[in-house]
Amino acid sequence: MAREAKEEKDEVTVCARCHSLRNYGQVKNQVAENLIPDFDFDRLISTRLIRSSGSANASVIVMVVDCVDFDGMFPKRAAKSLFKAMEGIKNDAKISKKFPKLVLVATKVDLLPSQVSPTRLDRWVQHRAKAAGAPKLSKVFLVSAHKDLGVRNLLTFIKELAGPRGNVWVIGAQNAGKSTLINMLAKKEGLKVSKLTEAPIPGTTLGILRIGGILPAKAKMYDTPGLLHPHLMAMRLNRDEQKMVEI
């Protein structure tokens, strides 16, 4: 009876869309999927960061980029307005102390050739990010959620930056691995919470999700929908074609 009660407690009710994504790797209704409006990043993220920059709470932006397709996964178009807004905040002397911290996370490093050294990859990632218009980075982390590489160090650094009341925004292109990374961070904290839906389908996350329990005190972490990027391979190919060209 105790085992059955525990199993019932661990079960989480999900919608039909998430059930299909989790178990079958595809959306339940493609017609309905096409009717879902695109996520308005400028209105829901950029403007909110500008408004909150004058408050006492720290803002941390964790930008997740798949290093296997770094240039393709770097959200240039959507992030351009964010970088511009951050530069505007930086030039305001009154709120410059509350300038949002930008942490770049290059994921899936376990898929790269073994001869690529971490030092060389770190330099290359910073160079490509600067070329894409990113402002000064607080830190670059090379991680693999699958192999559990660098995740603990990333979590420790985010906690220090956010402090007891800060806001951490996890952003990135569609299919960059944000939800997978957040699930791994939750696992590091020993959280028994319902997992974020992970699926090889662009646009799995539809709205801003607040993730509790990962950060201490009253600090908050938010998972955001994947940013649209015209250079994403996943936007051009169907799932069967993606399987043929993925590493």
Side-chain angles (χ1 to χ4, degrees), residues 9-247:
K9 188 177 180 181
D10 289 342
E11 287 181 358
V12 178
T13 303
V14 297
C15 67
R17 180 179 184 271
C18 282
H19 177 80
S20 182
L21 284 168
R22 288 183 178 187
N23 295 284
Y24 305 109
Q26 61 186 18
V27 294
K28 186 174 180 64
N29 189 328
Q30 188 60 55
V31 175
E33 197 77 11
N34 294 336
L35 296 176
I36 298 174
D38 294 337
F39 179 70
D40 192 341
F41 181 82
D42 290 352
R43 182 174 64 86
L44 296 173
I45 302 295
S46 295
T47 54
R48 190 179 298 190
L49 280 169
I50 294 171
R51 288 199 304 268
S52 64
S53 59
S55 67
N57 302 333
S59 292
V60 181
I61 303 166
V62 178
M63 179 173 287
V64 181
V65 185
D66 183 348
C67 63
V68 174
D69 181 20
F70 190 89
D71 288 337
M73 283 287 186
F74 196 92
K76 297 177 184 177
R77 179 185 294 177
K80 186 177 181 180
S81 61
L82 174 62
F83 296 155
K84 188 175 181 180
M86 289 175 67
E87 286 298 327
I89 295 172
K90 187 177 181 180
N91 295 329
D92 191 326
K94 293 182 180 180
I95 58 177
S96 59
K97 292 182 179 180
K98 297 302 177 184
F99 182 63
K101 306 295 189 301
L102 180 61
V103 179
L104 182 62
V105 180
T107 61
K108 307 178 187 178
V109 294
D110 58 298
L111 297 179
L112 295 176
S114 57
Q115 61 265 34
V116 178
S117 68
T119 303
R120 178 185 170 193
L121 181 59
D122 184 279
R123 285 199 304 265
W124 183 84
V125 165
Q126 295 202 47
H127 172 73
R128 296 309 305 157
K130 185 177 180 181
K136 183 180 179 182
L137 302 173
S138 296
K139 189 83 172 179
V140 172
F141 284 90
L142 310 176
V143 307
S144 168
H146 180 65
K147 296 287 188 178
D148 192 10
L149 302 173
V151 179
R152 172 63 69 184
N153 292 337
L154 170 62
L155 180 57
T156 301
F157 187 76
I158 291 174
K159 285 181 177 179
E160 292 175 356
L161 281 186
R165 301 177 67 88
N167 296 319
V168 177
W169 300 87
V170 184
I171 69 172
Q174 294 179 343
N175 263 27
K178 300 185 306 303
S179 297
T180 303
L181 178 63
I182 292 175
N183 282 330
M184 194 64 187
L185 293 174
K187 186 178 179 181
K188 288 293 180 185
E189 291 298 293
L191 297 180
K192 295 182 179 179
V193 296
S194 59
K195 281 190 171 186
L196 297 173
T197 300
E198 303 171 20
I201 304 295
T204 300
T205 304
L206 297 180
I208 299 174
L209 302 176
R210 179 176 172 179
I211 314 299
I214 296 178
L215 301 177
K218 294 184 179 181
K220 307 178 197 66
M221 176 176 286
Y222 299 95
D223 183 22
T224 61
L227 306 178
L228 292 173
H229 193 355
H231 302 297
L232 269 178
M233 177 183 64
M235 301 297 290
R236 310 286 181 179
L237 308 176
N238 61 39
R239 187 56 194 149
D240 290 334
E241 291 169 340
Q242 289 177 41
K243 290 178 180 178
M244 295 170 64
V245 297
E246 283 179 346
I247 297 178

